[in-house]
Amino acid sequence: MYIAHTIAELRDHLAAFKRPAFVPTMGNLHDGHLALVKQAKPLGDVTVASIFVNRLQFLPHEDFDTYPRTWDSDCEKLSAAGCDVLFAPDEKALYPEPQTCKVHPDPALADILEGHFRPGFFIGVCTVVMKLFTCVQPRVAVFGKKDYQQLMMIRHMVRQFALPIEIEGGETFRADDGLALSSRNGYLSKDERAEAVQLSKTLQAMAEAVRAGERDLAAIEARAMQTLAQRGWQPDYLVLRRRADLQAPAVGEPLVALAAARLGTTRLIDNLEIEAPSAL
Ligand code: PAF
């Protein structure tokens, strides 16, 4: 696996390829990331991953400084998963001057849910992804569906700027008990890790209520919030939205349940696409 630390090294190395397939990450890689790399592999003539913990997408009180950085094991895992090129710039290499020119995604999508609770988060994400795209110039890029709103935002940005990049979504990778894999799961204590499965269980319960034909979506959401709050979580949101734009759904539209909640000091997110019964 070739490792590029600067944009110039990356561009030199990629000049020989026509169809890079790209997986951007912030490192601390788990099987979910590696599944994205494996998904990317047959889609291009060279598989590129990046590791860059992007300060722009963290609020001042968030975990930028403590975000787990696990360079050696990340390199081993990427190499074993068949990654050909790793782009790992430091902050000076990617942001040689303050990144004052930023991508401001559509507020209708960027300021709700994650964007509401983490103001500016999607400006940081879209800005770094745009910059990584101009460095790697991929033909295809793979993003996990676990970050459902992020994936939608990137698709929208790519469409609006007519970037010649296909965006693929990768299925959420789950532990045996159903907990979605996330770098932040490493923050959980043993007891919290056992409790954490309740997030996906609550999403499942929301899906079951919808499938059973319950029509009062607000009541399903309120029940889910209450379930987690009673177990000691601090939920930010548990909502049922239409998949097309994450707004309130009309009757019969395909739904997704989305959740964000804090367990102790760890904030977890998850989501579940729901097949609505035709009667709904
Ligand atoms: O999903 C992530 O890990 C990050 O938001 C991304 C897409 C690598 C941008 O920093």
Side-chain angles (χ1 to χ4, degrees):
M1 183 173 71
Y2 176 77
I3 301 178
H5 290 290
T6 68
I7 298 174
E9 286 168 2
L10 179 77
R11 287 197 172 139
D12 270 5
H13 189 81
L14 289 183
F17 299 95
K18 283 200 160 59
R19 202 180 149 77
F22 180 41
V23 181
T25 83
M26 298 205 301
N28 192 233
L29 304 179
H30 50 65
D31 287 346
H33 294 112
L34 303 177
L36 301 181
V37 172
K38 286 176 193 153
Q39 185 174 342
K41 195 128 182 81
L43 304 177
D45 59 356
V46 60
T47 309
V48 185
S50 64
I51 294 180
F52 182 70
V53 185
N54 173 39
R55 190 186 290 276
L56 294 185
Q57 69 191 73
F58 289 79
L59 289 171
H61 67 272
E62 290 184 340
D63 54 345
F64 175 77
D65 288 328
T66 53
Y67 196 84
R69 287 153 172 93
T70 47
W71 173 252
D72 290 340
S73 74
D74 286 352
C75 288
E76 276 167 32
K77 287 175 185 174
L78 282 175
S79 179
C83 179
D84 302 308
V85 178
L86 169 58
F87 180 42
D90 64 13
E91 282 195 290
K92 272 219 144 32
L94 200 65
Y95 299 137
E97 54 189 81
Q99 186 70 33
T100 49
C101 185
K102 293 183 180 160
V103 177
H104 284 254
D106 184 350
L109 190 55
D111 291 357
I112 61 171
L113 303 173
E114 281 306 279
H116 174 77
F117 287 94
R118 305 179 71 190
F121 171 67
F122 287 118
I123 294 173
V125 169
C126 287
T127 301
V128 79
V129 169
M130 179 66 99
K131 193 145 190 182
L132 291 168
F133 280 174
T134 64
C135 297
V136 176
Q137 298 188 26
R139 286 305 183 84
V140 52
V142 188
F143 291 80
K145 280 193 185 181
K146 168 161 176 292
D147 295 294
Y148 201 86
Q149 193 177 356
Q150 168 174 281
L151 172 60
M152 289 188 69
M153 196 85 53
I154 302 297
R155 284 193 202 281
H156 187 251
M157 177 180 85
V158 163
R159 209 167 59 233
Q160 288 249 314
F161 287 108
L163 302 179
I165 306 172
E166 289 161 40
I167 303 297
E168 297 282 328
E171 291 308 319
T172 300
F173 211 91
R174 296 183 182 278
D176 288 344
D177 66 353
L179 175 67
L181 294 199
S182 159
S183 299
R184 291 192 168 98
N185 292 351
Y187 297 149
L188 299 168
S189 69
K190 199 158 167 270
D191 287 350
E192 287 170 344
R193 172 61 190 85
E195 172 64 22
V197 63
Q198 296 301 327
L199 191 62
S200 62
K201 285 210 164 134
T202 306
L203 288 172
Q204 291 285 358
M206 293 170 83
E208 271 155 36
V210 171
R211 282 192 216 106
E214 193 173 334
R215 281 155 190 253
D216 186 347
L217 302 187
I220 300 174
E221 293 173 351
R223 225 164 45 229
M225 290 286 278
Q226 201 183 12
T227 304
L228 283 189
Q230 277 171 353
R231 300 185 66 96
W233 294 66
Q234 293 159 274
D236 281 346
Y237 58 83
L238 286 114
V239 292
L240 293 160
R241 295 291 170 92
R242 67 170 169 228
R243 274 185 230 167
D245 56 8
L246 302 187
Q247 300 298 323
V251 172
E253 288 176 324
L255 299 180
V256 57
L258 301 127
R262 209 173 295 275
L263 184 56
T265 54
T266 307
R267 188 171 181 278
L268 301 177
I269 66 171
D270 198 357
N271 66 77
L272 192 63
E273 290 179 334
I274 303 170
E275 296 317 317
S278 50
L280 195 75

